[in-house]
Amino acid sequence: MPAHAFICPNGNQIAIEDCLNQCQQPMRCMFLPTLRSVAASLNRNLNGASVTELIAGTRETYLKKMTKYAVEPQSVLYALHGSAVHTMHEQHTNGNMLSEIRLKDAITSGKFDLYGQILDEDEGVLGDLKVTSSYKIMKALGRYKVDVPTGQYYVSGQKKGQMKYKKELRDDGVRGVGDWAIQLNYYRILLEQQGLAVKRMVIQALCRDSSLRMAAERGIDQAVYLIPIRRISDSWIQRYMQKKAQNLQAALAEKRLPPRCSSKERWHDRKCKDYCQVAEYCPYGKVLKIANSEAKQERSPA
Ligand code: SF4
Ligand code: SF4
């Protein structure tokens, strides 16, 4: 079951269709076309699971398929950033390129963004468009900060006599592209199953906070980065996705809630607290959300 209701800013719930027909509040919380776009982005594929649904935590995907859940339109606006970037590319491809075609195999299905001569003369480039944070780009580039001694010492205060340090960026860290790499490699496999050779995989990451000081501190000073993705063995990727597909199918068939998402899948709890659309229906997420909102209330001035 997909999202069926919107949560108004005052906490009331309203069926998405009813909201789109007629706002029940004194004024709409955003423009009607924006709400329509949000509603369209929530339509979920209920038959089978896509590559992105399998990459997410099995419990999250299960709940999105089995629960009639409600969302705050404002909290899912970020999904529209990605759609807007895809729209930018529509009708700007030519005969040497393919875009947005859904391919399917026995395990799953996936829609790649771009394939063909999208960078240079190379015809076999698989490209993916991401709109993401400077934090995620910093991780994907293997960039990290280290404390470097300045040779100067504090002359007063609690740290008197201690060495002063400054932050410096390094570029030789482990590249954190885990889920992106799995997603692109699966699209590669789907293309290759159609006889289309993939020579390179590249993510074009658009930084959504590139003008902020925080991004500069992370060494992210461009609006767009091209991030190459390495090939992962077909057998590893297929085994991994097959296992996730089987776990999801079994849970759906038995109507059994799968174990909670792994720590990585739930972004070490950050997703459960603020970003998981079905956290209210997940026993683990519910407890975290209550604790999180109590902590926020305690922090906010009376
Ligand atoms: S437009 Fe916003 S405030 Fe009005 S019914 Fe829809 S969700 Fe609620
Ligand atoms: S709340 Fe957390 S554990 Fe529960 S479904 Fe969402 S991401 Fe997974």
Side-chain angles (χ1 to χ4, degrees):
M1 276 163 262
H4 76 119
F6 279 151
I7 305 170
C8 305
N10 65 2
N12 283 5
Q13 286 197 16
I14 178 168
I16 292 177
E17 237 179 74
D18 294 344
C19 158
L20 299 181
N21 283 335
Q22 175 82 57
C23 173
Q24 305 295 311
Q25 305 299 329
M27 197 172 113
R28 282 202 180 275
C29 57
M30 58 183 83
F31 292 154
L32 180 57
T34 315
L35 285 158
R36 284 185 182 140
S37 190
V38 170
S41 77
L42 293 169
N43 279 341
R44 307 203 65 80
N45 160 28
L46 301 180
N47 306 313
S50 67
V51 170
T52 44
E53 284 175 323
L54 288 184
I55 288 172
T58 306
R59 177 180 285 193
E60 183 186 344
T61 302
Y62 170 91
L63 286 171
K64 282 183 170 168
K65 286 182 179 291
M66 295 294 276
T67 317
K68 280 175 110 182
Y69 61 99
V71 295
E72 292 170 26
Q74 303 222 3
S75 73
V76 289
L77 274 181
Y78 67 89
L80 297 190
H81 297 170
S83 315
V85 169
H86 286 94
T87 308
M88 266 164 59
H89 290 77
E90 272 171 19
Q91 289 159 17
H92 293 290
T93 52
N94 57 27
N96 301 328
M97 302 167 192
L98 297 174
S99 73
E100 305 243 2
I101 298 174
R102 183 165 290 280
L103 300 171
K104 199 171 179 335
D105 69 3
I107 301 172
T108 181
S109 70
K111 190 155 74 168
F112 64 86
D113 288 340
L114 291 162
Y115 168 78
Q117 273 186 347
I118 55 172
L119 268 182
D120 46 33
E121 293 308 301
D122 198 341
E123 289 177 355
V125 181
L126 169 60
D128 200 64
L129 303 162
K130 301 277 183 217
V131 182
T132 189
S133 63
S134 56
Y135 178 78
K136 185 124 195 211
I137 295 177
M138 178 178 89
K139 294 280 172 199
L141 295 172
R143 205 163 274 182
Y144 62 101
K145 287 181 190 173
V146 287
D147 288 324
V148 178
T150 61
Q152 295 175 332
Y153 293 85
Y154 290 95
V155 291
S156 60
Q158 279 186 339
K159 292 187 181 172
K160 187 175 176 185
Q162 291 178 24
M163 174 74 81
K164 286 184 177 175
Y165 288 86
K166 63 176 180 179
K167 297 275 182 206
E168 274 188 13
L169 284 162
R170 300 279 187 272
D171 268 333
D172 55 354
V174 178
R175 295 183 336 116
V177 286
D179 286 355
W180 290 354
I182 294 173
Q183 185 189 4
L184 249 75
N185 269 276
Y186 210 94
Y187 294 162
R188 172 186 63 72
I189 291 172
L190 290 171
L191 279 161
E192 288 175 349
Q193 284 169 350
Q194 302 299 315
L196 297 163
V198 176
K199 293 189 197 144
R200 285 146 71 199
M201 293 171 277
V202 182
I203 282 177
Q204 179 170 285
L206 188 70
C207 182
R208 66 165 92 91
D209 54 350
S210 62
S211 54
L212 299 185
R213 184 173 57 91
M214 184 60 86
E217 284 173 5
R218 290 171 176 151
I220 303 303
D221 50 11
Q222 298 171 203
V224 169
Y225 284 82
L226 291 175
I227 302 169
I229 297 294
R230 293 204 185 100
R231 214 175 167 91
I232 303 175
S233 91
D234 290 10
S235 56
W236 188 92
I237 292 273
Q238 281 166 326
R239 264 204 319 274
Y240 177 80
M241 295 294 266
Q242 177 90 64
K243 181 85 186 116
K244 292 206 80 172
Q246 280 169 350
N247 289 346
L248 178 65
Q249 274 157 18
L252 290 170
E254 295 161 21
K255 296 195 169 46
R256 169 183 46 78
L257 185 69
R260 75 173 182 222
C261 308
S262 71
S263 179
K264 200 166 134 280
E265 288 164 346
R266 52 179 209 271
W267 309 345
H268 313 292
D269 290 345
R270 244 182 72 229
K271 187 171 198 177
C272 313
K273 287 178 191 163
D274 288 318
Y275 299 99
C276 178
Q277 292 170 5
V278 285
E280 294 291 341
Y281 307 90
C282 163
Y284 184 78
K286 204 167 179 171
V287 170
L288 278 183
K289 274 187 95 69
I290 292 170
N292 194 34
S293 81
E294 284 173 358
K296 276 182 185 164
Q297 272 171 13
E298 271 171 32
R299 281 199 303 270
S300 67

